[in-house]
Each structure stands twice: as structure tokens, then as C-alpha cells.
Amino acid sequence: MIRNPATACMICVFLANFAGCASVEPHLMPTPAVFKDERLDLAPRLPLELRSTRLPVFFATTRAAATAGEPGHYTNDAGDGMTLGAAGVRLGAPGWTWDELVASDRTNTLSHARIGAVERVEEFGKAREDGERGDAERRFLAAIDAQLAKSNNKELVLYVHGYRVTFDEVSVQMGSFAHYLGHGAMVTFQWPTGLNFWNYITDCPRAERYIPDIERLIALVARSSAENINIIAYSCGSPLLAAALARLRARHPGEGRAELARRYRIGNIIFAASDVDLKTFAHEYVPPSLDLARQLIVYASRNDRALGFSSLIAGASRLGRPDVADLTPQELERLATDPRFQVIDISDVRGAHEMGGMRGHGYWYANDWISTDITLSLRHAIPPGQRCLVNPPGKQRIWLLPENYPQCVADRLLAAFPELRR
């Protein structure tokens, strides 16, 4: 909420004069650094059936379907209810073989992003608002279970995006993440948002209406055969996820962590470049998230310009660019004493911190070191020290990526899985 009308006016004028439309050409994320290590060959761990440039990305969307002649498959307008389905994603250029895709993993650069596309969409139907399983829910779960049955990776990832992206853009981006995760099941929650910078003023607050949909989606995918569910939210998708998790926890007031772990099987909950009020997060959202998950991971950067603007608009610091002075000593102590709560400061990680958009805001997929840790965290609920992260002196619960980070990760993978050696 904008507290100062003069500030709101200033921001709107700035955005109107200096911001244009977002690029909506779907593209793959740059290759995470560990996949470029010449000693590693991860492809043999993927079943032959899945060695393809095409894979499914499952979705639940509150966007309206595109009509004939419109670009993409879903628009940036609100639809009627939540539609469940699967997007058929192609990674790379038309006609690429699996070997060409894998070869491109080692040679691609940020300045020459690889293209991708949503080639088809299969709709399973509208989700029920009462949370019960109808025909759409049964078909959705059956398709997810069929995908998991093919893969050695039996985990499911759920992603809640930020604003200013298209349906196809999100699907291709998360399809490339699924490629590096060894498939498993990738699910996106896609809400309607415009493609201009100034849509932030209205779209993010309006998206709060979809919090119950996210809550129902998490409960639904917990009925799949996935061994674990890892969840990631980005930018102003983060307050939506945080509130949905709080609602989900409130469903079961008499259950403790062990019962909730059996019910929902949530491994990591990840907040990247998160546009959430810091005090609200610490007070209202950390306790229910830690009750539901094995680990709660926050990526933060003091160089995130988008969250700098958000802090100015809101009059308070954001989770992804925190000012700890906003928290009481008691709140800081409570966060510092739980080892399952991790803050990863990526401010000084070398390399790109954006891939279009505002400076410092897209690091979690644009930077190959940071995306390596994101990929590991979406695959395994292991502590940060085992992921090669280190503590700076005097900051027990702040984690950093060390100078030898990619080599350390590759060394540990080779030690654990010698068969990966090329």
C-alpha cells in the first residue's frame, strides 16, 4: 500500500516516462554453473524416455484463455476460476535434437539466450472451489503421477511467479529448470498480470484474491505420488505464497510438525527476491512456514533495485532487501535460533544479477552460481553447509556463496556419485 500520495505520484511519473513493455519472448534460463563442469556428465542419470527437447509443465492458472488470433495461450486478463492443465514445452530451437540441447547447456551465454516455446496446451478443466476432487483434479493428478513414474526424480516443484510475465514465458523458464532437475514434476501457479512496469501498482495488490487458489493447489499436489514438494515464489508472488501457507497451516490447528510433514511432504520453501513486508513476514509468515517445511530459505540482495522502489512505495523494507533495524531484538533472536531458517545474501556474487527487467532483481535464474544453489534446493532439502555455503564472521544465520563455490559443488557431487564422472 502506498502511504504517501506524493510518493505514489512520483513513482507513477517515473515509470510512465522511463519504462516500456517487458520482453515476452520465451527463453531458457542460463545454464547453472555446476552443469558446465567438464568433469561431470549428468545426462546418463536421465531415463532414455525423457531425453527429449520436449517436456510437460503442469499449471493452475487464473488467467483468461487466449482467443483465436491472440498471441500465447492465456492472456494477462483474469479468467473465470482456476484452470488446471499441462503445457507442452519445447526447449531450444525448432528441430533441435536432445544432443544439441545438451551441447548448448555448456556453451550458452546470457547475451545469447536460447529460445523455447509452448507448443500446445491440454486443459483438464476448472478446479473446484470447495477443495474436493472433481474430474479436472483427478486428471491433473493422474498426469503428474504419470510424469513422476517415468523419472528418477520423484519430487514435485511448485512455482509462483512475480508480475509482468506471460503464461508462455513462465512455462518455458520453469521447463528449463525441470530440465536441470532431471525432470520430476514441475507445476506453476499463473496469475494475470500486465506487461508494463507501472502494472506493479495495481496487479500485485489485486493478486491477493488468488491466495485461496494457491492454498488449494498446494493441498491438491500433496495428493500426488510425489515423495516431496518444494515450493518457490518470486517477487510479488511471494506474499501470495506466504499468505497461502499461513492459511494452509491454520486448517490443522491440532496438528504438529510431524503430522503436517506426513500430510503435505513439503521439503524446502524458497523466497527469492521477495516483495514481502519484512516485519509481516517475520511475525505472521515464518511460524506457519516452518511448521509446514523442513527448511525455509530466503535469498536477499542489497542491490535489488526493484525492491528498493517497492520499499519506497510501501514505506518499509522488503524481505528480499531487508533492513534488520525494522525487527525487534526478540524477532531477530527467534529467527537466529532456528537452523531451518536460512538467509542467503547473494549481493556480492560475481556475474549477472538480472536478465532484462530492473537491475539486481532476477539473479535467482540469471546468475549461474545462484541458480546452482536454487537447483540444489529445489531437488534436495539439505542444509546450506552441505551445499557448500559458508557463514561470514559474526553472522551465524547469514550464508554466502564462497569463491570456490562451483568447484565445491561439483567435488561433492563426484564424491557422492562417482558414476557422474565424465
Side-chain angles (χ1 to χ4, degrees), residues 297-414:
I297 304 173
V298 172
Y299 290 86
S301 172
R302 61 180 177 274
N303 303 317
D304 190 324
R305 182 173 290 179
L307 294 185
F309 278 118
S310 178
S311 298
L312 177 64
I313 292 171
S317 72
R318 319 313 284 165
L319 177 64
R321 187 178 174 173
D323 181 353
V324 295
D326 286 351
L327 301 179
T328 66
Q330 293 77 17
E331 288 169 330
L332 289 171
E333 177 65 20
R334 178 168 54 83
L335 296 177
T337 54
D338 194 326
R340 297 175 304 132
F341 178 74
Q342 304 157 21
V343 176
I344 303 172
D345 184 352
I346 54 77
S347 303
D348 298 322
V349 175
R350 68 103 186 101
H353 280 231
E354 63 280 322
M355 192 174 180
M358 297 191 75
R359 184 169 66 84
H361 194 54
Y363 54 77
W364 66 278
Y365 57 90
N367 186 288
D368 60 351
W369 286 28
I370 302 168
S371 66
T372 293
D373 193 61
I374 291 279
T375 302
L376 289 175
S377 297
L378 290 175
R379 186 68 174 86
H380 304 287
I382 56 178
Q386 294 183 25
R387 305 197 312 267
C388 293
L389 274 60
V390 298
N391 287 128
K395 296 185 178 181
Q396 185 181 5
R397 295 299 170 205
I398 302 296
W399 295 89
L400 303 176
L401 277 62
E403 287 300 318
N404 68 337
Y405 174 73
Q407 180 179 345
C408 177
V409 171
D411 288 346
R412 294 192 181 182
L413 283 173
L414 286 170

Side-chain angles (χ1 to χ4, degrees), residues 48-81:
L48 288 174
E49 183 180 3
L50 298 180
R51 297 183 193 180
S52 170
T53 60
R54 290 165 172 82
L55 51 74
V57 172
F58 303 98
F59 65 84
T61 187
T62 54
R63 297 174 185 256
T67 58
E70 285 188 288
H73 294 84
Y74 291 89
T75 72
N76 302 319
D77 298 321
D80 179 20

Side-chain angles (χ1 to χ4, degrees), residues 26-226:
H27 55 265
L28 282 60
M29 61 180 285
T31 305
V34 69
F35 292 90
K36 299 176 184 177
D37 192 295
E38 293 296 337
R39 297 170 295 165
L40 290 171
D41 187 3
L42 301 176
R45 293 183 64 83
L46 194 67
L48 288 174
E49 183 180 3
L50 298 180
R51 297 183 193 180
S52 170
T53 60
R54 290 165 172 82
L55 51 74
V57 172
F58 303 98
F59 65 84
T61 187
T62 54
R63 297 174 185 256
T67 58
E70 285 188 288
H73 294 84
Y74 291 89
T75 72
N76 302 319
D77 298 321
D80 179 20
M82 181 169 69
T83 302
L84 303 175
V89 171
R90 186 198 75 233
L91 302 179
W96 267 17
T97 65
W98 165 254
D99 288 338
E100 287 173 317
L101 174 62
V102 172
S104 77
D105 288 339
R106 296 182 177 276
T107 60
N108 74 93
T109 63
L110 187 69
S111 59
H112 293 88
R114 296 165 292 172
I115 63 170
V118 175
E119 295 185 321
R120 61 180 180 81
V121 161
E122 180 182 7
E123 289 190 354
F124 301 137
K126 298 289 184 182
R128 292 175 56 131
E129 294 186 0
D130 59 6
E132 296 300 318
R133 271 188 284 187
D135 182 62
E137 287 84 356
R138 285 189 286 269
R139 294 178 63 195
F140 185 68
L141 291 173
I144 288 173
D145 289 346
Q147 172 67 15
L148 290 168
K150 299 175 186 177
S151 178
N152 294 328
N153 176 6
K154 304 300 183 183
E155 306 213 347
L156 181 149
V157 171
L158 171 60
Y159 173 58
V160 182
H161 63 73
Y163 93 115
R164 202 168 162 254
V165 286
T166 67
F167 175 91
D168 287 18
E169 190 178 5
V170 172
S171 299
V172 170
Q173 180 190 35
M174 298 314 293
S176 62
F177 257 110
H179 169 61
Y180 295 119
L181 290 168
H183 289 232
M186 178 64 69
V187 180
T188 62
F189 178 80
Q190 300 226 32
W191 52 278
T193 173
L195 297 179
N196 296 301
F197 276 108
W198 53 85
N199 292 126
Y200 171 83
I201 303 296
T202 55
D203 286 3
C204 294
R206 285 175 183 167
E208 293 176 3
R209 75 183 74 173
Y210 305 120
I211 291 169
D213 296 304
I214 300 172
E215 175 195 359
R216 287 187 290 121
L217 178 60
I218 298 171
L220 177 61
V221 297
R223 297 179 179 180
S224 73
S225 62

